[in-house]
Each structure stands twice: as C-alpha cells, then as structure tokens.
Amino acid sequence: MARARRGDTLSVTIDDLAYGGEGVGRADGYVVFVPGGVPGDTVRVRLTQAPARFGRGAIESIDRPSPDRVPAPCPYFGRCGGCRLQHLRYEAQLALKTKQVTDCLQRLGGIGAFEMRPILPAPEIYGYRNKMEFTVARADAGERVVPKGRRLDPAGADEGPVVGLHEADRYDAVLDIERCLLQSDRMNALLDEARRFIAERRLTVYDQESGEGLLRFLMLREGKGTGEAMVNMVTSAPSVSELEPLVGRAQARVPETSSVVLNVNPKKASVAVGVEEHLLGGRDHIRESLGGLTFQVSAGSFFQTNTAQAERLFGLVLDAAALTGEETVLDLYAGTGAISLLLARRCRRVFGIEVGPGAVGEGVRKGGGNGGNHW
C-alpha cells in the first residue's frame, strides 16, 4: 500500500491483542494498533498516528464484528482507565492471557517447551474487588458521564467535586464514577454516600500545583468473607473535625461499616498512602476470612484484591508444597503473611521474610511469633 498518513481511513482485520488491550491488525501488511478492537473484527479505522513501522487508529465503524465481541456492561467503558477487556468474551480473555504468558516465557524468557496449565477462571468476573481507590478532583478537572436513565440530583449533590477514576492514558482527567461494576453494591453505596457528604459539606479538593485544598483520595475496603467495610479518606491535612460526621453517614447507609479512618498525605506524590492515620470511627481495621483463618486488614496493608481467587491461589501453593509437618519453610517477600499463616498449620515453623516495615507489623499482628510463625 502507499505510505500511510495521519487521517487516512483503512479497512483493518484485527488478529491479536497487544499488552494493555489494544487490538492489533494489518492493512496490506501495515500494522495498526486499534483501541477497542477485538481479534476477529474487521473495522474501518481512521489513523491518528502514522509512523513508518506501524500506525494507531480510532474505530469509525465495525464492518464485521468478532464472534468474541460482547457488549461492555459498564457505561464508562472506553473512557475509564480501569477496565480494558469488557468487550471481549471472558473465555477469550483467558485464552489471550494464556497466550501472553506463553509468549513472555518463550520469546522473552528464552524458555523452551513447557507445560502450560489451564487458567482457573474466576467464579465472579464483576463485583469481586475488596479494595478500590477513587481520586477526588475539582469539578473543572474531571468529567461527569451520566449513565443511561440517571437524572442529576435536584438537591445539588452532583455539583460537588468529581469522585472517580482516571481516564484511560490520562493522569490529569478524572471521570466521575457513580457505580463501579468491579465492587459490590455495599461499596458502591459507600461511594455514593461519600460523594454526597463531600458535596454537601463543600469540602475543598487538593490542587497538585498549589498544594492547597484538603481531599485527595477515597479508598474503600471490604471483607468478602465477613461483610465488614472500611472508608478511608486520604487528605492533605489532619482535618479530623471536618470528616468525623462521615462516620454516622456511612454507618447509617451501610451498617456493616466497621472502620472509618483518615490518612494524611501532605506530600506532592499523588498516592493514596498517608504518613499518619487518624481513627474517625469504629476500628482501625476490618476483618477478612480466607482459608479458614481470619485476617486483620488495615487501610495501608496489602491484601489480595480478589478474595475468592486468592483462596484458590493459596490452596495451590499449599498443595504444591506437599508439606509433611516437619519442615522449616521460608516465605520470601512474605508481605503481611497470608501465605505464611496458612503454611504454618502444615509445617514445624515458618519464617516470613519481608523488608517493608508496615507489612512486617501487620504480619506480627496477624499471628507472627505464635505457633512457630516468625517475622
């Protein structure tokens, strides 16, 4: 074909997905990356970039959809940076991930032939996350995408700051997320209540450049096995009195709210991690049940975000270790010790090795030093 130029329209057949979820296709041998393309699609694409080796384009029409293409259930899909494959049938997603792992090991890692065991599909592909972080942004720094059938709140709750997730490939734009399909109805109710509280109280929003303003992030956690929920407001200053009323609001909306905390991050770094924590209401942690054990999960601690799949993963570790009860086990990069605690029931002793002070503290609190378990 003639030299491709930006603005050209091409017919492209998608035959693969790149890392990150973009479709990869060819037009007369010219490689084109197509956001939203699914293997098996034939699409009309307008080139937005056209260097010599490959181009990138936006779909103008889908002339022949792939049999693996499905309607994305989320109204924010395509704009939100959180999900990239909702438009791909789940079984096809698993096949894609199998292919990518194989490619990494063989092409990049130089490993020869090996046995690739089947992926264990998740029992639930939506509503499974036990932790979500939402960015709080000024209304002029974000955008509201109103889901079909929703009306703006006449009381004015929709006029406050944006509370949501970053747009795909954008650090400076935040979508106001009314409801995220990756978290439960309980967590979505807390998201809604926190947004209303912020708007009604007219709380200020942190500005990255000036360093002024209060609110930075809203983090929600949930114990899938216990039902307990946590609200964690990340702010630039310890404004406890301004945020204490959120406790009653959250507990009235979701009675299972067991922890409401405030974490202070006064630094420029845009992370939902505080240098100090203030307990606003309830406990400083929630409890999670996994593998017959109960774990304490604080705002800053690491825990696998998919509890059901973590339980299956840890079960595979236990089976593969084939412990007899006489071993001393080293759990390297132990984190907060979930695997260590599960292994401790089947061996003589476990040493969890971890460099992060916070994780070590969590591990000790969860059971380190008891029953032959050490950090």
Side-chain angles (χ1 to χ4, degrees), residues 111-354:
I111 296 176
F114 63 91
E115 177 190 359
M116 183 68 174
R117 298 178 183 176
I119 289 179
L120 293 179
E124 300 290 341
I125 61 174
Y126 293 106
Y128 64 86
R129 285 190 66 95
N130 57 38
K131 176 187 175 184
M132 290 288 295
E133 293 178 2
F134 299 94
T135 299
V136 184
R138 300 191 318 274
D140 59 357
E143 182 172 342
R144 289 184 168 85
V145 177
V146 182
K148 185 178 180 181
R150 174 193 171 193
R151 295 182 178 179
L152 294 179
D153 187 350
D158 287 293
E159 298 304 319
V162 167
V163 184
L165 301 172
H166 284 265
E167 289 195 38
D169 304 318
R170 295 281 301 275
Y171 73 91
D172 59 340
V174 178
L175 284 175
D176 197 47
I177 304 294
E178 179 190 56
R179 178 173 179 266
C180 178
L181 297 185
L182 298 187
Q183 64 181 11
S184 68
D185 290 341
R186 181 186 292 117
M187 291 176 71
N188 277 314
L190 287 173
L191 171 63
D192 179 67
E193 196 61 39
R195 175 187 287 107
R196 291 173 181 275
F197 174 83
I198 291 168
E200 292 168 12
R201 295 276 170 158
R202 299 187 180 278
L203 299 176
T204 60
V205 176
Y206 179 78
D207 180 73
Q208 188 76 22
E209 302 211 353
S210 69
E212 297 179 350
L214 179 64
L215 301 179
R216 302 192 69 168
F217 299 97
L218 167 67
M219 188 183 79
L220 303 175
R221 303 196 82 141
E222 179 181 30
K224 292 293 186 178
T226 63
E228 296 182 355
M230 170 186 286
V231 177
N232 173 26
M233 293 298 307
V234 181
T235 63
S236 62
S239 300
V240 172
S241 60
E242 290 189 74
L243 290 170
E244 272 184 335
L246 177 60
V247 177
R249 293 274 297 261
Q251 292 176 340
R253 184 75 178 267
V254 177
E256 299 89 347
T257 303
S258 306
S259 174
V260 182
V261 296
L262 182 158
N263 272 268
V264 181
N265 174 16
K267 301 179 180 180
K268 285 283 189 179
S270 184
V271 294
V273 179
V275 298
E276 61 181 81
E277 181 173 297
H278 300 266
L279 179 62
L280 301 179
R283 302 190 303 267
D284 65 352
H285 65 275
I286 59 172
R287 294 171 296 185
E288 177 63 291
S289 176
L290 191 154
L293 296 176
T294 299
F295 297 88
Q296 294 182 8
V297 184
S298 65
S301 66
F302 171 79
F303 201 83
Q304 294 285 342
T305 55
N306 188 332
T307 303
Q309 286 294 77
E311 194 163 33
R312 300 175 79 184
L313 172 64
F314 296 165
L316 291 175
V317 173
L318 291 172
D319 291 343
L323 300 173
T324 65
E326 298 300 317
E327 297 87 355
T328 295
V329 177
L330 300 182
D331 181 10
L332 306 183
Y333 310 96
T336 59
I339 294 178
S340 298
L341 290 170
L342 292 168
L343 289 170
R345 299 185 300 182
R346 298 195 185 184
C347 64
R348 177 171 294 178
R349 61 176 60 87
V350 172
F351 290 91
I353 313 299
E354 172 59 52

Side-chain angles (χ1 to χ4, degrees), residues 2-66:
R3 170 85 159 77
R5 299 181 182 277
R6 188 164 65 91
D8 286 353
T9 300
L10 306 176
S11 177
V12 177
T13 298
I14 307 298
D15 52 29
D16 201 357
L17 284 180
Y19 296 104
E22 287 189 343
V24 183
R26 288 165 177 79
D28 294 332
Y30 183 63
V31 176
V32 183
F33 290 86
V34 183
V38 170
D41 280 345
T42 298
V43 294
R44 297 289 297 177
V45 171
R46 180 179 52 81
L47 293 180
T48 56
Q49 300 175 32
R53 294 180 56 197
F54 59 86
R56 179 166 277 104
I59 295 177
E60 290 197 331
S61 66
I62 301 174
D63 297 336
R64 189 179 69 227
S66 166

